[in-house]
Amino acid sequence: MAMARASSGLAYPERFYAAASYAGFGGSPSSSKGVISKFQNDVALLLYGLYQQATVGPCNVPKPRAWNPVESSKWTSWNGLGNMASTEAMRLFVKILEEEDPGWYSRVPEYVVEPVVDVEMNTQKFEVVTQNGDSFPEPKTISAENGSLLETQDKDVVLEGLGSVGVYDQWIAPSISGQRPKARYEHGAAVVQDKMYIFGGNHNGRYLNDLQVLDLRSLTWSKVEIRAGTESSESSSPVLSAPCAGHSLILWENKLLSIAGHTKDPSETVTVKAFDLQTCTWSTLTTYGKAPVSRGGQSVTLVGTTLVMFGGEDAKRSLLNDLHVLDLETMTWDEIDAVGVPPSPRSDHAAAVHAERYLLIFGGGSHATCFNDLHVLDLQSMEWSRPTQQGEIPTPRAGHAGVTVGENWFIVGGGDNKSAGVSETIVLNMSTLIWSVVTTVQGRVPLASEGLSLVLSSYNGEDILVSFGGYNGRYSNEVHVLKPSHKSTLQSKIMESPIPDSVAALHNATNATRDVEYEFEAGQEGKIREIVMDNVDSNPMNIKSKESSDQLIAALKAEKEELEASLTKEQLQSLKLKQELTEAETRTTDLTKELQSVRGQLAAEQSRCFKLEVDVAELRQKVQAMDTLQKELELLQRQKAASEQAALNAKQRQSSGGVWGWLAGTPSNQKIVDI
């Protein structure tokens, strides 16, 4: 279709008139029959409505009651276009014709309606031509202003496509044709050959489930029609994919895999759905093992034949930092208990794999803050580390998108809870962990937003980044492209500063071998990749001969073997240390048990001492009571002694009467009685 469009050579409005003439609206005696015979009824009615909209304008004709079903359908088709601009109707008319008949221009009649520009601008005159009873207004004039605009846009789209990207390290918005998808963010995006597929997303709080495709050669949007077919595989069942957002879209073999994501009615565990690109059907794949809890905002990275999932946010808005692996050959989930300190729980972060061994996690956010930390997981030893970042360290962000080009990781967009969005496009050299800024956008633009997508395409052997959608106060459905230069992708290599020690774990023989093989291996077109400095005065590092490259690769492989031997030695030493650590932990366990026993005995003795203290207190109280009784007894004894003494004294006074008693005539017998 792109070849047919490129060969037409006509700009608007001439292209529209040629298409209308070919379709049967250009004055042919059998135009009505031609439209009916060439296209299906629904297509013919749509073409009729677009033709009327482009040449006459919005439908202002009342619907008579006496119309037959055919005329009623034609009126409905025209009236349904509303206030669509005539230029847009022209472009849509041509687009539909090209989709139905890609080779239409090669069979177009020699007679083409030639528009005559009237003196008055923006004025159109029409002559009604009767064709088989049907009245079709025939255009005679067209706005020169609109025609110029259409001509410029059409040349960019039809003749050049991605080739219109002529500058490096700058985002541009190319001209896009076709019906654009609904604006959205948190959608999934993947590239299959020369087409970018967009699935799902969030628009005004509503989840979407449409599948749109952008032809990256012609830059034309179209919607994929989902078929309700049956699936013969025992591992899957036919489904209609539910609307979702925050999912991951991964290309695997001839299918697009949609993993996890937020849905209106979430399941308990993560589901994996597959879209077959050949049958255009969705199916839910059966997985085995312990599937992760359902979530959205996670990262899913393809590493060989496995998918590595990290983090996200579950249906209860709980943030996660767990790690799961899905083997795509056996469709079995496995939860990984990695050593080291993992990233804190987060969602809407970015992830990439380097040298098929290292998983990098950057940024993301929690409910209250955003992050700019970088974490690395060694997929061989399953150990987390947090290396030191170098260069222009990025600011915190979440909802950003990333894509790798060789050993470079490009990051675009994101939000920081402070401004409208992050405006700079950054790149990380994954071997040296040095950040640099590629470019910066100005204002509230889709590139400075959250939830956008970023994919990698190519044109004439050059890599091109393609972004779509996002949200920064408003939803976007715009497409932007950037062609990275050698300066941005190889800046870290040409720096003269030494590699910091903190990144030694990443900069090993595996990386070196992969870098050289990536730079020297032959591509699909049989061309050998080269490292070219972005400096006119410097001499490019070209490959002199195949022998020299073989020698270099052999030397690096020898160095790789030596480093692998050293790595094996270090792994053995690490294993020995782990064994010693296990023994130490065993001894610690025994000592802990003994300590607990001693603590138990001490607690028993403390209880006994407390009881004795209680007894002593009681005895002291008794002693104090005895002292009181003793004092009372002594007092009573003194009182008794005093009483006895008083009585004795009284008797003595009575017995000492003598003569006085005789004189008083006291009888002797009375004295005896008293005694």
Side-chain angles (χ1 to χ4, degrees):
M1 183 177 69
M3 293 296 294
R5 295 183 65 189
S7 63
S8 64
L10 284 178
Y12 286 95
E14 289 85 355
R15 175 190 291 275
F16 166 72
Y17 295 137
S21 175
Y22 174 77
F25 297 101
S28 172
S30 58
S31 61
S32 179
K33 294 182 179 179
V35 173
I36 296 175
S37 62
K38 290 180 181 178
F39 308 103
Q40 297 180 357
N41 292 337
D42 55 345
V43 177
L45 289 173
L46 182 56
L47 290 175
Y48 168 80
L50 290 170
Y51 181 84
Q52 295 290 88
Q53 191 80 8
T55 56
V56 178
C59 179
N60 295 320
V61 179
K63 183 178 181 181
R65 297 181 180 179
W67 277 10
N68 59 36
V70 176
E71 295 298 326
S72 178
S73 299
K74 291 166 62 177
W75 182 90
T76 302
S77 177
W78 182 13
N79 185 68
L81 298 178
N83 295 323
M84 178 184 291
S86 61
T87 54
E88 184 177 355
M90 289 182 181
R91 295 173 64 86
L92 190 57
F93 183 97
V94 175
K95 177 182 179 299
I96 294 175
L97 178 61
E98 288 175 346
E99 290 179 350
E100 295 295 325
D101 190 354
W104 69 272
Y105 186 76
S106 61
R107 296 185 294 274
V108 70
E110 296 181 358
Y111 170 75
V112 178
V113 179
E114 295 291 344
V116 179
V117 180
D118 198 359
V119 177
E120 182 179 359
M121 300 298 294
N122 296 327
T123 303
Q124 294 180 339
K125 299 178 181 179
F126 304 95
E127 293 182 2
V128 179
V129 179
T130 303
Q131 301 172 355
N132 294 343
D134 295 333
S135 298
F136 297 98
E138 183 177 355
K140 293 298 181 182
T141 63
I142 188 67
S143 168
E145 179 180 347
N146 293 341
S148 176
L149 175 62
L150 286 169
E151 180 180 0
T152 302
Q153 292 180 348
D154 189 67
K155 286 184 177 179
D156 291 340
V157 175
V158 176
L159 299 181
E160 298 185 5
L162 288 179
S164 62
V165 185
V167 296
Y168 290 91
D169 297 334
Q170 294 293 331
W171 288 102
I172 66 171
S175 298
I176 304 294
S177 61
Q179 185 67 34
R180 295 196 178 194
K182 183 177 294 185
R184 69 194 68 198
Y185 82 122
E186 290 186 341
H187 50 277
V191 171
V192 182
Q193 295 179 352
D194 294 328
K195 295 182 179 181
M196 178 178 70
Y197 287 83
I198 300 295
F199 171 65
N202 189 325
H203 177 80
N204 290 335
R206 295 184 177 181
Y207 299 141
L208 307 175
N209 67 342
D210 56 334
L211 184 62
Q212 308 281 346
V213 59
L214 175 64
D215 191 318
L216 296 174
R217 292 303 181 191
S218 62
L219 292 181
T220 303
W221 279 110
S222 60
K223 183 178 180 180
V224 179
E225 297 297 333
I226 309 301
R227 300 177 183 175
T230 57
E231 201 57 59
S232 60
S233 175
E234 296 180 356
S235 63
S236 59
S237 57
V239 295
L240 293 176
S241 183
C244 61
H247 52 287
S248 302
L249 195 65
I250 304 293
L251 174 63
W252 171 250
E253 295 179 344
N254 63 336
K255 297 181 179 180
L256 292 175
L257 303 183
S258 177
I259 302 99
H262 296 298
T263 58
K264 184 178 179 181
D265 299 316
S267 59
E268 294 183 358
T269 58
V270 167
T271 58
V272 181
K273 298 181 180 179
F275 180 77
D276 193 312
L277 295 170
Q278 295 181 352
T279 62
C280 293
T281 57
W282 281 103
S283 61
T284 300
L285 301 183
T286 302
T287 60
Y288 305 92
K290 184 179 179 181
V293 64
S294 62
R295 66 193 67 195
Q298 72 293 323
S299 63
V300 177
T301 310
L302 179 63
V303 183
T305 60
T306 61
L307 295 178
V308 182
M309 174 186 290
F310 172 78
E313 183 182 36
D314 64 13
K316 299 179 181 179
R317 297 201 64 202
S318 298
L319 294 170
L320 308 168
N321 66 342
D322 51 349
L323 188 66
H324 299 266
V325 173
L326 175 62
D327 189 331
L328 293 176
E329 294 182 342
T330 62
M331 296 305 296
T332 303
W333 284 105
D334 187 15
E335 183 174 4
I336 304 300
D337 186 12
V339 298
V341 180
S344 59
R346 65 191 63 196
S347 66
D348 299 326
H349 51 278
V353 63
H354 176 52
E356 295 295 319
R357 175 173 176 178
Y358 301 102
L359 178 69
L360 285 76
I361 302 293
F362 170 71
S366 64
H367 296 151
T369 185
C370 297
F371 308 111
N372 67 338
D373 49 353
L374 178 66
H375 297 263
V376 177
L377 174 66
D378 189 331
L379 296 173
Q380 291 187 5
S381 61
M382 286 300 173
E383 182 176 1
W384 285 106
S385 63
R386 186 175 177 180
T388 303
Q389 305 177 65
Q390 303 291 325
E392 302 179 58
I393 300 177
T395 57
R397 66 197 64 196
H400 46 286
V403 68
T404 58
V405 181
E407 65 176 10
N408 295 278
W409 188 16
F410 288 84
I411 302 290
V412 178
D416 54 8
N417 293 332
K418 297 180 181 179
S419 58
V422 180
S423 59
E424 72 268 15
T425 298
I426 55 179
V427 60
L428 173 69
N429 186 292
M430 294 183 289
S431 292
T432 61
L433 299 186
I434 298 177
W435 288 101
S436 58
V437 176
V438 179
T439 185
T440 302
V441 296
Q442 302 295 331
R444 188 186 292 269
V445 296
L447 290 166
S449 60
E450 301 179 43
L452 74 168
S453 61
L454 185 67
V455 297
L456 177 65
S457 183
S458 63
Y459 183 82
N460 286 341
E462 291 187 297
D463 297 316
I464 294 181
L465 310 183
V466 184
S467 74
F468 171 76
Y471 176 80
N472 59 358
R474 68 180 185 89
Y475 296 89
S476 170
N477 62 350
E478 298 182 19
V479 176
H480 291 81
V481 296
L482 179 142
K483 182 190 297 184
S485 67
H486 294 288
K487 180 178 180 180
S488 64
T489 57
L490 300 175
Q491 181 175 1
S492 301
K493 283 190 172 184
I494 64 178
M495 293 183 65
E496 297 180 357
S497 59
I499 298 174
D501 296 335
S502 60
V503 299
L506 293 181
H507 194 74
N508 54 23
T510 304
N511 299 344
T513 303
R514 182 182 181 276
D515 294 340
V516 173
E517 291 177 353
Y518 173 78
E519 292 159 6
F520 292 103
E521 68 179 358
Q524 295 180 353
E525 298 177 358
K527 296 182 179 180
I528 300 177
R529 299 181 63 93
E530 301 176 351
I531 302 177
V532 181
M533 305 296 185
D534 190 23
N535 189 340
V536 178
D537 297 332
S538 62
N539 294 325
M541 299 173 59
N542 297 325
I543 301 175
K544 298 301 181 180
S545 64
K546 183 178 180 181
E547 295 179 357
S548 61
S549 63
D550 292 341
Q551 292 176 357
L552 179 59
I553 294 176
L556 290 174
K557 286 184 177 180
E559 184 179 357
K560 174 187 175 183
E561 294 176 356
E562 181 180 354
L563 291 176
E564 286 180 346
S566 300
L567 178 60
T568 303
K569 183 178 179 181
E570 293 296 332
Q571 289 177 345
L572 293 175
Q573 182 68 19
S574 176
L575 180 60
K576 182 179 178 181
L577 292 175
K578 288 181 179 179
Q579 292 176 351
E580 294 178 355
L581 178 61
T582 303
E583 295 176 356
E585 290 177 348
T586 303
R587 291 196 299 270
T588 302
T589 303
D590 296 338
L591 292 175
T592 302
K593 292 180 180 179
E594 184 177 355
L595 178 61
Q596 292 177 350
S597 177
V598 173
R599 285 178 176 175
Q601 296 176 2
L602 179 60
E605 292 297 329
Q606 288 177 345
S607 176
R608 181 181 176 186
C609 290
F610 178 75
K611 185 177 180 181
L612 291 175
E613 289 177 355
V614 172
D615 294 340
V616 169
E618 292 178 353
L619 291 174
R620 284 178 179 175
Q621 291 178 355
K622 291 180 180 180
V623 169
Q624 290 178 358
M626 291 178 66
D627 291 341
T628 303
L629 293 175
Q630 182 67 28
K631 290 179 181 179
E632 292 179 355
L633 179 61
E634 290 177 355
L635 179 60
L636 292 175
Q637 287 177 351
R638 286 195 298 270
Q639 291 177 354
K640 179 181 179 181
S643 299
E644 290 177 352
Q645 185 64 35
L648 181 60
N649 291 336
K651 290 180 180 181
Q652 289 178 355
R653 284 194 299 271
Q654 291 177 1
S655 63
S656 64
V659 178
W660 293 101
W662 181 79
L663 291 177
T666 304
S668 58
N669 57 353
Q670 184 178 0
K671 183 178 179 181
I672 295 172
V673 171
D674 294 334
I675 294 172

